[in-house]
Amino acid sequence: MLNFINYNIRIRSEQTFTGFGHRFLLFIIVIITFNGCQQIVEMDLGSYDSKLVVNGILKPDTFPRIYLSESTFFYDIDDYRNRFHFITNAVVTLKRNDTKIFLKSDSAYEPLNKNRYNMNSGFGDEYKPDTVLVYFYTDTIRPKPGDYFELEITSGNRRVTSAVTVPFPVEIDSVKFAYSERPKDPYNEGFQTEVYAETYFKETINKDEYYRLKLTGWYKEPSYIDPSDSNLLTFSHSTDVTAGNILGDINKVINGYLECGFYYENASKNKKHVRISIERLTEETGRYLESLVLQREHEDSPFTEPVMVKSNIEGGLGVFGAYSASKEMEGIYYCK
Amino acid sequence: MLKYFYFFFILSVFSTSLFSQTHTISGYALDEKSSEALIGCNVYVNNLKKGTSTNAYGFYSITLPESKDSVELIISYIGYDLKIIRFILTSDIKLNITLKPTSEQLEQVEIKGVRNRENVESTKMSVIELPAKQIKELPAIFGEKDVLKALVLLPGVQSGREAFAGFYVRGGGSDQNLVLLDEAVLYNPFHLFNFFSVFNSDAIKNVQLIKGGFPAQYGGRLSSIVDISLKDGNAREYHGEGGIGFIASRLTVEGPIIKDKSSFMISGRRTYLDLLVNALNPNPEDGGGGVYFYDLNTKLNYKISENDRVFVSGYFGKDVLYSEIPSDSMLFQIDWGNKTLTSRWNHIFTKKLFSNTTFIYNDYLFRIIIERGNTEAKLLSGIRDVSGKIDFDYYPSLRHKIKWGFHHTYHTFIPSLVKGTRGTTPIPFPEYPQKFVNHSAGYINSDYSFSDVISLNSGLRVPFYKYKNFDYLNFEPRLAMKYSLNQTSSIKLSYTRMDQFVQLVTSAQETPLDLWVPSSDKIKPQNADQAAIGYFRNFNDNKYESSFETYYKKMNNITEYKEGADIFLNPNIEDFILFGEGWAYGGEFFIRKNEGRVNGWIGYTLSWSMRQIDGFNIGNEPYPAKYDRRHDLSVVAFYNFNKKWSFSAVFVYGTGNSVTLPVGRFSDPSYGWDPYFSWYSDYGYRNSFKMQSYNRLDLGIKKTVVKKRFTFVESFDIYNVYNRRNPFFLMNDKMYDPKTNSEKWMLRQFSIFGVIPTINFSIIF
């Protein structure tokens, strides 16, 4: 049984009144508005012990990268340029089949944004080539589907543990493209059409499992070649993590089916190519990623329950997870 | 455990007192001026030191042994003069008793030992009645006297947020309260986004709150029954009452259709802020809008014969929030409202057997309407019930009452119905099928006094529920026992089991958009077991009644929605529900003085309410419910200074609501390294923080002037006299901190109501 601490909340005398500008609102509104006020509440939380935050998601045949940082007190000064508090002197070990591997600290520049293009904004929008220097722990082992890994990290007197089994991939059966039938927006007529990549895969879905559909599209016309990308990449997009859970539409997933909608421009009426793969995530990984998205979506509303991050790190925060991707399948759709 | 219950139950039902020769006195207790039936009026046989009370229709029946000595009946009711009737009982008597309302400035005639002792004598516990008159005396925000806000001043009943009419009973959820208006269920008993209840206090006769020890005739909710009765209408004279308030005006008219045979009552009110705002809008062509509500209560009754009486009552209310731009032919409107229709037939089969047959229709509908040009879209959701019930009251002896009955309800749940047209062409929308549910229950309840010391109230309710292929049958034992310690004190205990087959799909803050959903193979019915024990004592010749009750309630199949679940227009909402358990326990102290110039009550509750839901908290650890409130205190006082002036005061204090707040921040690169989008919160355990405590003092002054047949009432209420900034909600926000010359996250508390003075004018004729 957990012992709950009822923290005291102290009100600082500072007050600000909400403004209301409608000159014709009556006395009642004035009363409510000017009585209704905001106050800054100071929390008497005692001390906050920062936690180790782990992000290590394994993928078959890829060197592992374990990012390690620490959390801070919520009400500390926020320096947004330095939000990642990396820890580079921890002892990080992975154990596979009774073999203990000590990971070494390393660093690299990684893209600031995961997706280089925002697909829904169209080609070329929000191109973010910025990179950022990040620190991680790594080794030259290559995880295989079915491998069981135990993670142990110690940093000073803090110790966190976790474990994961790398899942087996699923195979794509077929891909169909469907076009939106909704009335076109009169202000953008002939400009955008939504395409759905309906992807069927050979799997009986377990509701507790998580999948992710990943699409990568490119043009073959030279005029559209992104000179900085030898793969002629025009977009890379993945659906949110989905399963019989919050973000998924259960009926669509149960039968081994995922879809991803995206827009294309009508300017060029050529056939287009897209690479599609399905990633199967461990339940803990899916739940964690899902909770991050949900927390972000709901954090600004004072009237909804906050979403807690579903961590699987014993003694800390974050995720030690794994996923496997299917073989990529190429699909062709036509701009109508 | 159950076998003991069945033993007591059978013993109680089949126990009868055997007298050689008995006679029955039966009839109604009525208001002398209006012929309104008096509910729960105490009829006391002074010779035997035993009494009974009238039922929900004012009927009573007493069977006594034949005697040559005169029988002395003492009839008492809060707010009415005592009445003593003496007679020799040699045959059955039909006796309709009329009581005269007590003048406020007069003390009642002192007759020692005969005041209403029901508090200590009856098996009832965890039941509180509030006369409408007392509710109308309470100071209120914007002067709107509110039944549900009065209930939260009672022990064991907690309010939700500041000024909201929502309430929570003994650790239960807000959807675990069954609110009945003349026996019709009100699924959304609130106006203006829960700021006011739908009950117009001018139309109400009586309010009964049952929070435990539920009699078997009640079921369907886990935590409480709020049984509200409308006035029947004055059967002797035409009367009316109107009032102009801060935000609403109201008018009630009642009178005889055929004197002493049939009467009517009609009562309505409407808010008018929107009318004033739009009238003052200098550019109406640019658009206008507003929010308003109205409600209408009606009741007709007709006395067919001495043994038959019919009642028809209805409630029609609606809230409308709208915005329109006439120049663009654009309208956006949200409206919601209840409609109820109750028709009842009271029949007296014999002097000892009374029946009531009821037909009920109730409908709650929520709509969103969007119109632009020739295009219109409507979303509808709601619930509609058609019910029939029959109840019997049987009085075999003065010591014994038996009640039994059966009811059936056919529910139609309208999850979300979207309709649209462009011109005359329908716009296709996804359809969510309606759900049809049958719900029946049979019950029997026996109240038996084994002696002057021990009484037993035992009952059994058997609900049967069917939705598609899912059906459910359960046995709900009900047991209450009283042990008298002496003439002024007793110990009572009770045990009840309740089932609930409908529940509210709601976000953290209840709104009219919330959806009632039926139990199914995916949503298991909730049930609760509650045990309570109490000490009841009257003081000062029963002028003061007091009680101390402790309770423990265990709730099963309690639901919560998965974090982040989108419940609006979700056809698969059942897949987003998590199940768990809840338990609540505590102690309640209540002392009340009903008579005299100074009267009122003090209620104090010490309570705990916990939840455990698989999927919440690390390790599925239990957590406090949102309205887990350790301390809750209410002090209510009325002072009738003289015929003209009266005063009222209310003080409330409550521990703050539980909230979940972030304690830490961390970064995660799963969705990129951009510091703006990779920052997340580390929340502590769910609901592990308490908001600041809530406290408030309200004062009211009332001036009553009688001129000929008109009574003018001016009331001046001050809500939140000392301008306490009570917490409404908390929100984290990034703000500049001058101390450190940097940006910092800070927790803001939002309050909505400070001090609010209100003047109301009423006229009674």
Side-chain angles (χ1 to χ4, degrees):
Chain A
M1 176 82 174
L2 194 76
N3 289 319
F4 286 94
I5 303 165
N6 291 329
Y7 296 98
N8 296 317
I9 299 176
R10 197 169 66 244
I11 301 286
R12 200 197 287 176
S13 59
E14 183 182 337
Q15 293 184 0
T16 56
F17 292 99
T18 52
F20 217 109
H22 197 300
R23 60 196 162 119
F24 296 107
L25 286 181
L26 290 177
F27 183 54
I28 177 176
I29 300 291
V30 174
I31 288 272
I32 293 171
T33 306
F34 284 90
N35 275 319
C37 74
Q38 311 163 32
Q39 293 171 305
I40 309 299
V41 181
E42 286 188 353
M43 309 289 300
D44 183 9
L45 293 170
S47 60
Y48 173 73
D49 297 328
S50 74
K51 298 173 184 171
L52 292 177
V53 182
V54 178
N55 183 290
I57 300 179
L58 307 179
K59 185 183 175 186
D61 301 321
T62 306
F63 297 149
R65 279 193 178 185
I66 309 283
Y67 303 97
L68 186 65
S69 57
E70 64 182 344
S71 63
T72 57
F73 179 49
F74 187 90
Y75 300 99
D76 272 351
I77 294 165
D78 174 26
D79 177 6
Y80 81 94
R81 291 157 300 189
N82 187 29
R83 282 179 171 170
F84 280 90
H85 299 269
F86 288 109
I87 292 177
T88 55
N89 59 353
V91 178
V92 179
T93 59
L94 277 180
K95 195 166 136 187
R96 177 172 68 172
N97 303 331
D98 298 326
T99 307
K100 209 168 187 178
I101 307 147
F102 286 86
L103 276 63
K104 63 175 186 291
S105 179
D106 202 349
S107 64
Y109 282 90
E110 291 191 5
L112 195 64
N113 284 348
K114 196 105 175 170
N115 299 328
R116 299 187 60 217
Y117 294 88
N118 181 335
M119 230 173 78
N120 290 342
S121 302
F123 171 71
D125 280 0
E126 298 188 19
Y127 179 71
K128 297 253 180 144
D130 297 346
T131 56
V132 61
L133 181 64
V134 300
Y135 298 88
F136 50 86
Y137 295 83
T138 188
D139 192 78
T140 53
I141 57 160
R142 292 173 188 273
K144 299 256 179 295
D147 280 353
Y148 176 73
F149 286 94
E150 289 177 35
L151 173 74
E152 181 179 350
I153 300 174
T154 52
S155 172
N157 56 1
R158 291 177 294 188
R159 176 179 175 271
V160 297
T161 58
S162 190
V164 70
T165 301
V166 180
F168 287 89
V170 296
E171 293 306 323
I172 295 175
D173 181 70
S174 59
V175 179
K176 289 179 189 170
F177 290 94
Y179 299 86
S180 64
E181 293 178 0
R182 67 193 171 96
K184 287 178 180 173
D185 186 337
Y187 300 105
N188 291 313
E189 194 159 3
F191 184 67
Q192 287 187 329
T193 301
E194 195 167 12
V195 183
Y196 297 96
E198 299 175 347
T199 309
Y200 297 85
F201 53 105
K202 298 167 184 172
E203 188 82 9
T204 303
I205 301 300
N206 180 340
K207 269 179 80 173
D208 292 332
E209 290 187 315
Y210 284 77
Y211 300 86
R212 188 158 59 182
L213 185 65
K214 195 160 189 172
L215 283 84
T216 311
W218 76 100
Y219 294 93
K220 288 194 171 177
E221 289 77 0
S223 58
Y224 286 94
I225 293 173
D226 179 354
S228 67
D229 195 322
S230 58
N231 293 322
L232 314 181
L233 188 70
T234 60
F235 63 76
S236 172
H237 186 68
S238 63
T239 58
D240 292 319
V241 175
T242 180
N245 283 284
I246 299 295
L247 297 178
D249 185 331
I250 290 166
N251 291 331
K252 291 177 181 170
V253 184
I254 279 172
N255 301 317
Y257 171 86
L258 284 170
E259 68 171 29
C260 180
F262 56 94
Y263 293 98
Y264 68 81
E265 292 176 61
N266 265 358
S268 172
K269 299 201 173 189
N270 297 316
K271 65 179 183 182
K272 301 287 189 290
H273 299 255
V274 65
R275 284 183 196 149
I276 298 168
S277 71
I278 289 174
E279 294 169 350
R280 188 217 294 264
L281 297 85
T282 64
E283 184 185 345
E284 291 76 16
T285 314
R287 282 163 57 84
Y288 178 75
L289 296 176
E290 179 185 64
S291 66
L292 292 183
V293 173
L294 289 173
Q295 188 184 93
R296 174 67 38 75
E297 283 179 357
H298 292 86
E299 68 185 347
D300 291 332
S301 170
F303 295 111
T304 56
E305 288 294 337
V307 177
M308 295 179 198
V309 168
K310 303 282 192 294
S311 167
N312 71 334
I313 305 296
E314 192 73 33
L317 285 169
V319 64
F320 179 54
Y323 71 93
S324 292
S326 68
K327 283 180 187 165
E328 283 189 334
M329 177 172 271
E330 187 171 319
I332 298 170
Y333 64 94
Y334 295 87
C335 299
K336 291 183 175 175
Chain B
M1 175 72 190
L2 270 180
K3 67 184 177 187
Y4 293 111
F5 164 75
Y6 290 123
F7 169 75
F8 282 121
F9 177 64
I10 291 164
L11 185 69
S12 163
V13 169
F14 294 103
S15 296
T16 51
S17 298
L18 298 173
F19 296 107
S20 53
Q21 179 73 41
T22 60
H23 297 294
T24 301
I25 312 156
S26 64
Y28 289 91
L30 305 167
D31 179 295
E32 187 180 277
K33 287 184 176 174
S34 65
S35 285
E36 282 277 350
L38 302 177
I39 301 168
C41 176
N42 193 254
V43 184
Y44 188 77
V45 185
N46 204 20
N47 318 48
L48 301 175
K49 305 293 178 200
K50 287 292 297 175
T52 187
S53 54
T54 56
N55 70 7
Y57 306 93
F59 179 79
Y60 75 96
S61 173
I62 295 172
T63 298
L64 299 172
E66 188 175 85
S67 167
K68 288 178 183 172
D69 299 330
S70 86
V71 173
E72 186 173 82
L73 286 187
I74 299 173
I75 302 100
S76 62
Y77 193 60
I78 296 173
Y80 288 79
D81 289 346
L82 278 174
K83 190 163 198 171
I84 301 171
I85 301 170
R86 293 188 187 89
F87 51 87
I88 305 286
L89 188 63
T90 53
S91 62
D92 290 348
I93 297 176
K94 185 159 272 184
L95 179 67
N96 288 341
I97 303 159
T98 55
L99 291 185
K100 190 177 173 186
T102 309
S103 300
E104 285 179 357
Q105 73 280 14
L106 296 175
E107 288 285 347
Q108 282 195 336
V109 180
E110 293 280 340
I111 302 174
K112 280 195 179 291
V114 296
R115 272 202 183 85
N116 195 334
R117 297 200 292 128
E118 199 181 5
N119 181 49
V120 292
E121 283 214 323
S122 85
T123 52
K124 271 194 217 171
M125 66 183 298
S126 312
V127 177
I128 302 177
E129 295 203 8
L130 271 184
K133 194 178 168 191
Q134 223 164 29
I135 293 167
K136 290 174 76 173
E137 295 292 317
L138 289 166
I141 187 167
F142 301 125
E144 287 299 307
K145 312 297 181 184
D146 199 304
V147 170
L148 298 185
K149 284 181 187 165
L151 291 182
V152 301
L153 300 173
L154 301 172
V157 188
Q158 292 159 356
S159 60
R161 291 175 190 270
E162 155 93 277
F164 271 44
F167 62 103
Y168 301 81
V169 179
R170 288 187 170 175
S174 66
D175 67 340
Q176 293 175 0
N177 306 314
L178 180 66
V179 181
L180 300 170
L181 180 65
D182 268 359
E183 301 189 46
V185 177
L186 285 173
Y187 283 97
N188 180 5
F190 305 111
H191 279 311
L192 280 183
F193 299 100
N194 296 16
F195 273 104
F196 300 102
S197 78
V198 298
F199 306 108
N200 178 350
S201 55
D202 289 347
I204 287 168
K205 177 158 68 175
N206 194 63
V207 179
Q208 181 178 237
L209 168 74
I210 308 172
K211 51 193 179 175
F214 301 98
Q217 67 263 35
Y218 294 110
R221 296 292 188 280
L222 301 192
S223 289
S224 81
I225 310 291
V226 179
D227 196 352
I228 297 171
S229 308
L230 286 174
K231 282 180 183 171
D232 297 333
N234 194 317
R236 299 204 164 157
E237 297 172 322
Y238 290 100
H239 279 288
E241 182 171 358
I244 297 172
F246 205 41
I247 62 165
S249 286
R250 60 194 197 282
L251 180 66
T252 302
V253 180
E254 58 183 324
I257 298 170
I258 303 168
K259 196 175 179 184
D260 284 331
K261 201 167 175 69
S262 106
S263 64
F264 74 95
M265 186 278 297
I266 182 162
S267 179
R269 63 176 172 166
R270 191 197 190 279
T271 59
Y272 34 63
L273 186 63
D274 61 309
L275 301 176
L276 293 169
V277 170
N278 285 325
L280 292 169
N281 185 352
N283 301 308
E285 66 279 3
D286 291 344
V291 59
Y292 67 90
F293 73 76
Y294 64 83
D295 51 42
L296 185 71
N297 289 283
T298 57
K299 194 159 182 178
L300 286 170
N301 77 86
Y302 182 70
K303 195 168 148 187
I304 300 166
S305 69
E306 281 301 313
N307 291 334
D308 295 280
R309 193 169 184 180
V310 290
F311 303 82
V312 179
S313 58
Y315 168 86
F316 313 92
K318 191 177 245 189
D319 283 64
V320 179
L321 170 70
Y322 71 100
S323 171
E324 59 183 352
I325 305 173
S327 55
D328 266 1
S329 304
M330 210 173 101
L331 170 73
F332 175 76
Q333 180 172 311
I334 300 175
D335 60 54
W336 64 94
N338 296 281
K339 289 187 204 112
T340 74
L341 179 70
T342 307
S343 51
R344 289 183 285 192
W345 169 41
N346 286 179
H347 178 65
I348 301 171
F349 283 96
T350 69
K351 296 168 293 296
K352 295 181 181 182
L353 182 61
F354 176 94
S355 80
N356 177 57
T357 309
T358 312
F359 168 82
I360 305 161
Y361 170 84
N362 55 282
D363 177 287
Y364 171 68
L365 193 64
F366 171 83
R367 301 190 307 170
I368 298 176
I369 301 168
I370 302 166
E371 289 175 12
R372 187 173 183 182
N374 68 343
T375 304
E376 183 188 69
K378 276 185 190 172
L379 179 143
L380 299 96
S381 74
I383 179 169
R384 186 181 304 129
D385 292 352
V386 179
S387 309
K389 63 193 282 257
I390 185 161
D391 304 281
F392 294 92
D393 291 324
Y394 181 56
Y395 304 84
S397 73
L398 182 58
R399 292 180 178 278
H400 199 184
K401 275 194 271 187
I402 301 175
K403 189 174 179 78
W404 73 92
F406 177 82
H407 94 245
H408 180 83
T409 300
Y410 181 71
H411 299 281
T412 303
F413 293 83
I414 307 161
S416 296
L417 182 64
V418 190
K419 292 177 180 172
T421 52
R422 184 177 290 111
T424 53
T425 313
I427 302 171
F429 281 107
E431 287 188 13
Y432 306 118
Q434 296 186 7
K435 297 172 181 176
F436 305 102
V437 172
N438 283 291
H439 177 202
S440 306
Y443 72 88
I444 182 164
N445 202 90
S446 163
D447 193 281
Y448 184 72
S449 295
F450 289 96
S451 68
D452 290 345
V453 176
I454 297 177
S455 300
L456 178 72
N457 187 313
S458 55
L460 183 69
R461 184 179 177 87
V462 184
F464 176 72
Y465 174 90
K466 184 164 178 60
Y467 169 55
K468 288 186 174 174
N469 295 324
F470 175 77
D471 50 45
Y472 181 89
L473 177 73
N474 200 9
F475 293 91
E476 298 176 359
R478 313 286 173 86
L479 193 67
M481 192 180 277
K482 179 220 69 176
Y483 180 81
S484 294
L485 298 171
N486 51 44
Q487 288 282 307
T488 57
S489 63
S490 60
I491 290 172
K492 302 181 189 180
L493 52 94
S494 69
Y495 163 76
T496 57
R497 177 176 295 163
M498 302 288 273
D499 286 288
Q500 181 164 338
F501 302 99
V502 292
Q503 53 191 290
L504 197 63
V505 176
T506 179
S507 53
Q509 176 56 53
E510 288 127 39
T511 70
L513 277 74
D514 300 340
L515 207 63
W516 286 92
V517 293
S519 292
S520 65
D521 50 353
K522 289 182 179 172
I523 303 176
K524 300 167 216 162
Q526 299 181 9
N527 55 63
D529 293 280
Q530 185 181 167
I533 183 164
Y535 174 70
F536 294 74
R537 171 141 195 205
N538 287 3
F539 296 94
N540 201 0
D541 191 26
N542 300 310
K543 272 185 183 170
Y544 296 86
E545 57 181 42
S546 70
S547 62
F548 176 72
E549 292 187 38
T550 59
Y551 65 91
Y552 182 86
K553 181 159 69 177
K554 174 83 191 305
M555 297 167 279
N556 301 309
N557 298 329
I558 292 294
T559 57
E560 290 276 2
Y561 299 93
K562 287 183 180 175
E563 289 171 343
D566 189 0
I567 58 173
F568 184 61
L569 274 181
N570 188 334
N572 300 312
I573 190 67
E574 295 172 342
D575 295 310
F576 296 84
I577 293 176
L578 300 171
F579 295 93
E581 295 178 344
W583 57 96
Y585 51 94
E588 297 163 0
F589 171 75
F590 185 57
I591 182 164
R592 176 155 76 171
K593 181 173 183 277
N594 289 317
E595 302 170 8
R597 283 186 170 171
V598 179
N599 57 72
W601 69 84
I602 298 170
Y604 169 73
T605 308
L606 174 71
S607 63
W608 287 260
S609 178
M610 299 293 288
R611 299 283 187 273
Q612 188 275 320
I613 305 280
D614 289 346
F616 284 171
N617 271 350
I618 299 166
N620 300 324
E621 287 282 358
Y623 60 91
K626 184 185 295 180
Y627 298 106
D628 167 54
R629 194 162 296 168
R630 198 69 64 247
H631 306 282
D632 199 78
L633 172 72
S634 302
V635 181
V636 177
F638 305 101
Y639 177 49
N640 298 314
F641 183 69
N642 57 27
K643 226 176 175 181
K644 198 170 178 181
W645 293 96
S646 62
F647 304 91
S648 56
V650 172
F651 173 76
V652 291
Y653 171 87
T655 307
N657 293 334
S658 304
V659 286
T660 309
L661 290 174
V663 286
R665 281 276 191 189
F666 68 98
S667 293
D668 182 281
S670 296
Y671 291 103
W673 290 100
D674 190 326
Y676 285 110
F677 305 113
S678 57
W679 220 34
Y680 301 95
S681 299
D682 172 21
Y683 288 94
Y685 280 93
R686 196 178 179 88
N687 290 345
S688 57
F689 292 86
K690 290 283 181 198
M691 282 186 179
Q692 200 189 14
S693 63
Y694 183 95
N695 59 77
R696 195 187 82 229
L697 174 69
D698 307 335
L699 295 175
I701 304 170
K702 193 172 86 174
K703 181 185 170 190
T704 307
V705 177
V706 181
K707 284 184 181 171
K708 294 184 179 173
R709 64 166 302 191
F710 293 97
T711 303
F712 298 91
V713 181
E714 293 170 37
S715 58
F716 178 60
D717 293 347
I718 308 175
Y719 178 87
N720 196 359
V721 170
Y722 52 83
N723 199 28
R724 161 83 176 174
R725 306 293 178 172
N726 284 305
F728 188 66
F729 65 83
L730 299 176
M731 194 170 82
N732 282 303
D733 205 0
K734 203 171 180 182
M735 298 175 77
Y736 176 73
D737 182 10
K739 281 184 192 168
T740 57
N741 192 28
S742 61
E743 283 192 319
K744 200 175 172 185
W745 286 89
M746 290 184 176
L747 189 64
R748 283 191 196 183
Q749 174 185 289
F750 286 76
S751 308
I752 51 169
F753 294 123
V755 58
I756 297 180
T758 316
I759 298 174
N760 272 270
F761 300 96
S762 298
I763 180 167
I764 302 164
F765 52 95

